[in-house]
Amino acid sequence: MPGSPDVHRLTRDDRRQRSEAAILAAARQQFADAGFERTTIRGVASAAGVDPALVMQHFGSKEALFAAATRMPDEPVWGPGTSAADVPRLAIEEVLDRFEDEEGRDTALALARNCLTHPSATTAVRDDVMCDRISTMAGVIGGDDAELRAAVLNACLMGVTIARYLLELPPLASASREDVTRLLEPALAALVTAPDAD
Amino acid sequence: MPGSPDVHRLTRDDRRQRSEAAILAAARQQFADAGFERTTIRGVASAAGVDPALVMQHFGSKEALFAAATRMPDEPVWGPGTSAADVPRLAIEEVLDRFEDEEGRDTALALARNCLTHPSATTAVRDDVMCDRISTMAGVIGGDDAELRAAVLNACLMGVTIARYLLELPPLASASREDVTRLLEPALAALVTAPDAD
């Protein structure tokens, strides 16, 4: 193919990185579509065009492969100038972006699909993804209930993404992004500013 | 035990019903705690104090056992006098009741735990539980976006129950029912009455 580098000229390190990337992409897709239990090293190897022994040599176990395939990039969306009023829109955008972006989609789906049945995914979703978001968001919201408001807000967003992208619940699954945002934003705004307890 | 009927006086039908009930209760608990894939006929039989062959004789397969164990009772909470303003409170009460009621809890947990990885649970949650609720709720809400508003509302509630009862997300998992309701009700109210599109 013109323009593509000759595979035989690649260094050993380049080849290793290429096969790792192919294995991780195949793993992400199978964990996202079929779930942890039904995903096999053999199936991932076949989709990546490599030998199953190579998958084991790179990652050691299905568990370690899952952890490597679902590592989330750190992408802070909250700048120093973010105010409580920005929280609903930014939070919706961040979550919908993640599920609708071609590159991040399989990672998000693999974590969400497995978070209720697989211990590693439960920990990753709760401790690495949601607790971090809640703590940052609570700092922006402020006030006594800030942590609980942020937790409920993120729980609602998680429910909307699960219903839309995994359960494919009608008519939420087929609604436009704009319509989802238009209805959801005032609800999340009410969570950020709901009245305090008596 | 005084007052309890002598088991040898029970008819064959009574004994059959007793062992079925014990199997279903054990199955509900194991599907709720361990998930569909890790639940075994042998484990359910052992917890119910019966022979595995009896479980197969009663239910035929793990799949059929799951369907029988997670059948939801029909409990219409929306009376003829329900108005849109009642929807947020009634919807929150109904869902929290289900997860906090000792009898219904394992059924709700078994469905929720498995709804992202097991096809029967996906169908049961989406088509039998959520679509019915959405359609009834949309009738009460009224207006153009009623179905989508009801779908987003139920997705938010599902997210809150998953985060609270399955992920055990802090501080939502440890919050009182009153605090969850106090913060969530205005958010769901905004979903019921959010402004229409331009």
Side-chain angles (χ1 to χ4, degrees), chain A:
Chain A
M1 230 185 333
S4 86
D6 182 351
V7 75
H8 300 294
R9 299 255 181 95
L10 294 174
T11 65
R12 179 188 283 259
D13 258 12
D14 286 339
R15 284 201 304 277
R16 186 183 166 86
Q17 276 177 19
R18 283 199 170 200
S19 65
E20 261 198 33
I23 293 165
L24 287 173
R28 245 173 239 126
Q29 200 184 354
Q30 298 198 8
F31 287 128
D33 293 345
F36 183 87
E37 300 284 351
R38 274 185 276 262
T39 294
T40 61
I41 296 281
R42 186 168 294 279
V44 169
S46 153
V50 303
D51 193 86
L54 187 73
V55 178
M56 289 305 284
Q57 187 191 315
H58 277 257
F59 297 98
S61 68
K62 186 164 89 166
E63 184 57 56
L65 177 62
F66 182 79
T70 57
R71 207 159 284 139
M72 280 270 191
D74 259 339
E75 293 175 68
V77 296
W78 315 90
T82 309
S83 74
D86 300 325
V87 165
R89 189 183 37 81
L90 287 176
I92 296 169
E93 269 174 16
E94 186 193 10
V95 168
L96 297 186
D97 277 353
R98 184 162 287 166
F99 278 88
E100 294 184 11
D101 164 66
E102 219 172 312
E103 227 167 282
R105 187 185 168 83
D106 282 341
T107 305
L109 284 175
L111 277 176
R113 164 93 60 210
N114 295 291
C115 73
L116 304 180
T117 39
H118 190 61
S120 293
T122 307
T123 309
V125 166
R126 186 185 55 213
D127 301 346
D128 303 339
V129 180
M130 295 191 77
C131 285
D132 277 2
R133 280 170 62 87
I134 288 167
S135 147
T136 312
M137 203 180 278
V140 177
I141 293 176
D144 276 354
D145 285 326
E147 291 273 340
L148 183 56
R149 287 170 197 271
V152 175
L153 191 156
N154 280 288
C156 287
L157 270 175
M158 180 181 69
V160 168
T161 52
I162 286 176
R164 180 171 166 90
Y165 301 107
L166 289 163
L167 289 184
E168 304 186 2
L169 182 72
L172 177 53
S174 58
S176 72
R177 217 182 132 137
E178 290 67 35
D179 280 343
V180 174
T181 306
R182 174 172 60 83
L183 295 182
L184 193 54
E185 202 178 327
L188 302 193
L191 271 170
V192 171
T193 61
D196 284 328
D198 299 340

Side-chain angles (χ1 to χ4, degrees), chain B residues 19 22-28 30-31 34-69:
Chain B
S19 63
I23 293 165
L24 287 174
R28 246 172 239 126
Q30 299 199 7
F31 287 129
F36 183 87
E37 299 284 350
R38 276 185 275 262
T39 294
T40 61
I41 295 282
R42 185 169 295 278
V44 169
S46 154
V50 302
D51 192 87
L54 189 72
V55 178
M56 289 305 284
Q57 187 191 316
H58 277 257
F59 296 99
S61 68
K62 186 164 89 165
E63 183 57 56
L65 177 60
F66 181 80

Side-chain angles (χ1 to χ4, degrees), chain B:
Chain B
M1 228 181 340
S4 86
D6 181 349
V7 75
H8 301 293
R9 299 257 182 93
L10 294 174
T11 65
R12 177 189 284 259
D13 259 12
D14 287 338
R15 285 201 305 276
R16 185 183 168 86
Q17 277 176 19
R18 284 201 165 197
S19 63
E20 260 198 32
I23 293 165
L24 287 174
R28 246 172 239 126
Q29 201 184 352
Q30 299 199 7
F31 287 129
D33 294 345
F36 183 87
E37 299 284 350
R38 276 185 275 262
T39 294
T40 61
I41 295 282
R42 185 169 295 278
V44 169
S46 154
V50 302
D51 192 87
L54 189 72
V55 178
M56 289 305 284
Q57 187 191 316
H58 277 257
F59 296 99
S61 68
K62 186 164 89 165
E63 183 57 56
L65 177 60
F66 181 80
T70 57
R71 207 159 283 139
M72 282 270 192
D74 259 338
E75 292 176 69
V77 295
W78 314 91
T82 309
S83 74
D86 300 325
V87 164
R89 189 181 39 80
L90 288 176
I92 295 169
E93 269 174 18
E94 186 193 11
V95 167
L96 296 185
D97 278 353
R98 183 162 289 167
F99 278 87
E100 294 185 12
D101 164 67
E102 218 172 312
E103 225 166 286
R105 186 184 167 84
D106 282 342
T107 305
L109 284 175
L111 278 176
R113 165 91 61 210
N114 296 290
C115 73
L116 305 181
T117 39
H118 190 61
S120 292
T122 307
T123 309
V125 166
R126 185 186 56 213
D127 300 346
D128 303 340
V129 181
M130 296 192 76
C131 284
D132 277 2
R133 280 170 62 87
I134 288 167
S135 145
T136 312
M137 203 180 278
V140 177
I141 293 175
D144 276 354
D145 285 324
E147 291 273 338
L148 183 57
R149 286 171 196 272
V152 174
L153 191 156
N154 280 289
C156 287
L157 271 174
M158 180 181 68
V160 169
T161 53
I162 286 176
R164 181 173 166 89
Y165 302 106
L166 290 163
L167 290 185
E168 303 185 4
L169 182 72
L172 178 53
S174 59
S176 73
R177 214 181 133 137
E178 290 67 34
D179 280 344
V180 175
T181 306
R182 174 173 59 84
L183 295 182
L184 194 54
E185 202 177 327
L188 303 193
L191 271 170
V192 171
T193 60
D196 283 327
D198 299 338

